[in-house]
Amino acid sequence: MGGSTRSPGVLQRDDASSQSRYQRLSQRMLDLSGDRGVLKDVIREGSGELVTPDASVLDITLWGMELGLLSMRRGEVARFLFKPTYAYGMLGCPPLIPPNTTVLFEIELLDFLDSAESDKFCVLSAEQQDQFPLQKVLKVAATEREFGNYLFRQNRFYDAKVRYKRALLLLHRRSAPAEEQLLVETAKLLVLLNLSFTYLKLERPTVALRYGEQALVIDQKNTKALFRCGQACLLMTEYQKARDFLVRAQKEQPFNHDINNELKKLASYYRDYLGKEKEMCHRMFAPGEHGSTVGEN
């Protein structure tokens, strides 16, 4: 899911010095593609499972990079050489990458998410899901939420909403004994907060408010929930409700800049609203154009 990639280095053009440098680097590297088109040198070993084909990290455009990532584990740092066929081809990527160029990438794989397990679980019926232990349900819901977060960070808010709703549905379906219900409610709270924020981004404040209020049922003093509800009410021009939510949020976190700035924004909007109301009343009750009043002949 997460990774850092340094800008590609150009290694092979038509000059002899570049050819020589490429040969020196490639001699000690592992052939991943079978035709020496994708070569790898591990700088730091990773741990855990290899990246799977369903992982979210594979939202990429280079064939060579996909092959490279499929050979990596969490925390691994590796250097890769991609021949043109596995990189930018005959056209290159001007102005940085000339045509027909072998490139060098250094990649650190911080983390990735595998959707295969989650997807299989989500298509099961509620009765089938109930056969699994609670920890399995919580794990799948957490994976769905993380996918939502990944999509949210890419500004894909509609897709993020879909993932969050899948997580919420799993948690709503699950009936847990009293001693485990706290775990379910804690997981629900995180998803409800995500949904409220996402619907604000989608400019649907009414729905954002609904999810924020559901979060407050679980934790009535949750600062994020109070803040999201305040933001939603402000967008809906329900100024008194917005103030109530934001003041409650400020009470929990008096020095939170976001909350204090939102209260300032609310005050500014409310002043403008009162000004427009005053102007409207003035126009309604002002004398006519020739100074006549109601009741005059």
Side-chain angles (χ1 to χ4, degrees), residues 93 155 194 220 231 296-297:
C93 188
N155 295 326
N194 289 141
Q220 63 180 352
Q231 288 180 301
E296 288 185 343
N297 293 327

Side-chain angles (χ1 to χ4, degrees), residues 55-281:
S56 60
V57 74
L58 296 179
D59 183 18
I60 54 177
T61 57
L62 296 185
W63 184 18
M65 190 175 290
E66 181 169 340
L67 291 177
L69 286 167
L70 286 170
S71 74
M72 298 184 73
R73 305 176 192 273
R74 286 181 177 86
E76 182 178 330
V77 179
R79 188 179 290 121
F80 295 92
L81 277 177
F82 303 140
K83 283 189 176 179
T85 305
Y86 294 89
Y88 297 97
M90 297 297 294
L91 297 178
C93 188
L96 182 62
I97 310 296
N100 199 29
T101 300
T102 296
V103 294
L104 172 72
F105 277 93
E106 185 174 303
I107 300 174
E108 178 182 10
L109 182 63
L110 303 177
D111 199 3
F112 65 90
L113 290 172
D114 180 9
S115 66
E117 180 184 11
S118 175
D119 291 340
K120 290 177 183 177
F121 187 84
C122 287
V123 298
L124 299 176
S125 67
E127 293 76 17
Q128 290 172 316
Q129 290 177 5
D130 282 340
Q131 302 303 312
F132 289 86
L134 176 62
Q135 289 303 322
K136 172 72 172 181
V137 178
L138 293 175
K139 179 183 177 183
V140 173
T143 300
E144 287 296 314
R145 178 174 169 267
E146 285 298 322
F147 261 107
N149 292 345
Y150 170 72
L151 295 165
F152 186 96
R153 287 192 291 269
Q154 294 184 322
N155 295 326
R156 294 166 58 183
F157 302 122
Y158 182 87
D159 295 330
K161 173 204 67 171
V162 172
R163 288 290 187 171
Y164 292 143
K165 284 192 169 183
R166 281 176 63 170
L168 190 61
L169 179 60
L170 289 173
L171 297 168
H172 275 322
R173 280 180 176 179
R174 187 66 181 201
S175 56
E179 62 271 16
E180 294 182 336
Q181 191 60 34
L182 179 60
L183 296 173
V184 176
E185 294 298 299
T186 300
K188 279 185 186 177
L189 177 61
L190 295 174
V191 179
L192 289 167
L193 291 172
N194 289 141
L195 277 166
S196 183
F197 195 15
T198 302
Y199 274 103
L200 285 173
K201 291 292 187 179
L202 290 170
E203 299 181 352
R204 296 179 61 184
T206 304
V207 185
L209 177 61
R210 185 171 76 240
Y211 282 117
E213 289 179 328
Q214 288 180 36
L216 289 172
V217 172
I218 298 173
D219 180 4
Q220 63 180 352
K221 293 186 177 182
N222 187 278
T223 307
K224 285 186 178 180
L226 291 167
F227 182 58
R228 301 295 176 224
C229 289
Q231 288 180 301
C233 289
L234 181 55
L235 290 172
M236 295 160 63
T237 67
E238 295 188 14
Y239 298 125
Q240 187 56 54
K241 285 184 68 175
R243 183 181 183 280
D244 291 343
F245 281 121
L246 292 172
V247 168
R248 286 169 62 190
Q250 187 185 52
K251 183 178 178 181
E252 300 301 320
Q253 292 187 15
F255 304 107
N256 185 297
H257 292 296
D258 291 333
I259 296 171
N260 291 330
N261 287 338
E262 201 72 9
L263 279 165
K264 291 177 183 177
K265 185 195 297 185
L266 169 62
S268 175
Y269 284 11
Y270 192 59
R271 281 195 300 270
D272 291 343
Y273 167 75
L274 290 178
K276 290 176 182 177
E277 286 282 298
K278 183 177 180 181
E279 182 179 351
M280 185 180 297
C281 290

Side-chain angles (χ1 to χ4, degrees), residues 11 20-32 36 38-43 78-81 104 106:
L11 288 183
S20 175
R21 186 182 178 196
Y22 166 76
Q23 294 293 339
R24 290 198 304 271
L25 278 171
S26 64
Q27 285 175 359
R28 64 174 185 272
M29 301 179 83
L30 176 67
D31 181 10
L32 296 181
R36 299 196 65 76
V38 178
L39 302 177
K40 175 182 179 181
D41 181 29
V42 176
I43 300 171
R79 188 179 290 121
F80 295 92
L81 277 177
L104 172 72
E106 185 174 303

